[in-house]
Amino acid sequence: MLLGSHVSMSKGLVGAAKEAHSYGANTFMLYTGAPQNTKRKPIEELKVKEGFEYMKENNLDSFVVHAPYIINLASYKEHIFDLAVSFLEEEIKRTEAMGSKYLVLHPGAFTDKDMEYGINRIAEGLNMVLKEEQNVIVCLETMAGKGSEVGSKFEELKAIIDKVELKEKIAVCFDTCHTHDAGYNITTDFEGVLDEFDELLGLDLIKVLHINGSLNPQGAKKDRHANISATDENNERGKDYIGSEVIYSIVHNKRLEGKYFILETPWLDKKTNLYKVEIEMLRSEKAYDIKR
Ligand code: FE
Ligand code: FE
Ligand code: ZN
């Protein structure tokens, strides 16, 4: 099972790999710089060779990159759209140079326009960016549906992908918190949700899953990730509405074998995260509650 978490790239790829290893992970996900801006170090400073040497020695064979969320391919404003296109082009090159195959991207938000406009604009941008010769596959993330986000319904992702010319360069990242918040019943009918995805897009298209609890009930459209914990009657204590049993069964689901499972659960404070204990629980014989 490929299981890891988001890690920091501030000390280059070798730092990211070391952090992942410290959590007992065998894969990881990173942003090539701050997620909220487009300032990036030159590739030569990312310690790629050193990183791969460390990875090889420590049972980490590959990783996923996440594009910064300020990229908005759905924007009708020329300068925002142009920045999104040019930055995404650079990000694909960086992902490629770093030896990663998958780049996760939030599809975008249509702001003052409408869903149809957003879908068309995103497809237009992707068709400008994607190149025959690239090895990187852009994975559109399933979104929670807050504001004017595109991609909270599988149909929206399908509508974008249908318009993309280079179909072999596009795939999907399935986020458990987001699909739950978007209204999909992943807690008691995960198989049904997978069936629905399979019918529309095909399960092969899912390359990466983000494994998060949710602080809000199904359909809340909030996008607030929770640490993985057992749910109780009122979801009071853990405040995770998805629950460890469900998350455990998702990462062990036979239909999702071989895909990347990446935790993006919150940090308790600036210094503490639960990635190590969450990974340990998900790799154990059966689900249990994580004490904290
Ligand atoms: Fe994301
Ligand atoms: Fe996510
Ligand atoms: Zn999220």
Side-chain angles (χ1 to χ4, degrees):
M1 186 204 298
L2 285 167
L3 177 61
S5 70
H6 161 243
V7 295
S8 165
M9 184 61 188
S10 62
K11 293 186 183 115
L13 184 59
V14 65
K18 279 182 182 166
E19 186 185 341
H21 184 64
S22 78
Y23 303 146
N26 61 349
T27 187
F28 52 94
M29 181 177 80
L30 53 83
Y31 289 82
T32 60
Q36 65 278 14
N37 70 42
T38 55
K39 274 185 240 122
R40 293 296 181 262
K41 282 186 194 163
I43 290 162
E44 307 76 64
E45 286 170 35
L46 301 177
K47 300 187 186 165
V48 175
K49 195 165 164 271
E50 235 182 304
F52 268 91
E53 276 161 19
Y54 181 87
M55 283 166 64
K56 224 158 113 200
E57 287 158 16
N58 292 284
N59 187 37
L60 291 150
D61 63 12
S62 50
F63 61 94
V64 174
V65 176
H66 197 311
Y69 23 83
I70 53 138
I71 293 186
N72 185 6
L73 285 180
S75 181
Y76 65 92
K77 292 182 181 151
E78 280 318 315
H79 68 283
I80 294 178
F81 180 77
D82 292 348
L83 174 75
V85 166
S86 61
F87 191 82
L88 187 56
E89 270 172 347
E90 289 304 308
E91 194 75 340
I92 289 171
K93 284 184 200 150
R94 256 189 301 270
T95 303
E96 189 108 39
M98 289 179 74
S100 167
K101 190 163 180 195
Y102 299 115
L103 176 62
V104 174
L105 175 72
H106 294 182
F110 59 75
T111 60
D112 307 329
K113 297 284 184 174
D114 58 24
M115 185 56 76
E116 197 191 338
Y117 180 91
I119 287 167
N120 287 323
R121 189 73 154 159
I122 293 163
E124 179 193 346
L126 288 169
N127 283 330
M128 288 167 75
V129 167
L130 300 176
K131 302 274 163 10
E132 198 92 57
E133 60 275 15
Q134 77 185 55
N135 294 305
V136 170
I137 295 177
V138 173
C139 301
L140 299 175
E141 183 163 348
T142 59
M143 302 308 288
K146 58 175 177 351
S148 64
E149 272 173 359
V150 181
S152 68
K153 295 197 176 82
F154 301 156
E155 286 82 357
E156 293 161 14
L157 295 176
K158 181 179 159 51
I160 297 167
I161 293 170
D162 280 348
K163 292 183 167 63
V164 169
E165 286 150 23
L166 296 171
K167 298 256 188 306
E168 66 282 9
K169 310 296 181 198
I170 196 95
V172 172
C173 168
F174 185 109
D175 187 308
T176 54
C177 168
H178 298 177
T179 46
H180 163 88
D181 280 27
Y184 289 101
N185 183 8
I186 66 162
T187 50
T188 62
D189 187 24
F190 185 67
E191 293 302 328
V193 175
L194 281 189
D195 289 342
E196 199 177 328
F197 189 98
D198 199 23
E199 251 164 63
L200 276 168
L201 290 145
L203 286 184
D204 272 357
L205 217 59
I206 300 177
K207 305 297 180 194
V208 180
L209 288 99
H210 286 164
I211 298 303
N212 307 308
S214 175
L215 288 180
N216 293 286
Q218 184 188 328
K221 300 197 177 349
K222 289 276 207 265
D223 190 5
R224 292 191 59 215
H225 302 185
N227 287 105
I228 297 167
S229 65
T231 51
D232 56 35
E233 285 279 287
N234 309 307
N235 285 311
E236 275 299 319
R237 191 185 46 84
K239 294 220 173 79
D240 172 15
Y241 280 83
I242 298 175
S244 20
E245 299 274 345
V246 171
I247 296 289
Y248 184 94
S249 70
I250 290 174
V251 303
H252 290 275
N253 191 302
K254 285 272 173 288
R255 299 166 81 186
L256 300 174
E257 228 167 53
K259 304 193 191 288
Y260 289 80
F261 294 105
I262 305 290
L263 292 157
E264 299 175 303
T265 48
W267 285 60
L268 300 183
D269 53 62
K270 278 207 168 86
K271 287 202 190 86
T272 333
N273 62 55
L274 294 175
Y275 295 149
K276 190 169 195 266
V277 287
E278 286 170 336
I279 288 171
E280 202 170 77
M281 186 280 281
L282 293 172
R283 283 199 188 282
S284 70
E285 286 299 306
K286 67 192 254 296
Y288 55 82
D289 192 20
I290 293 166
K291 298 273 173 274
R292 70 187 129 104

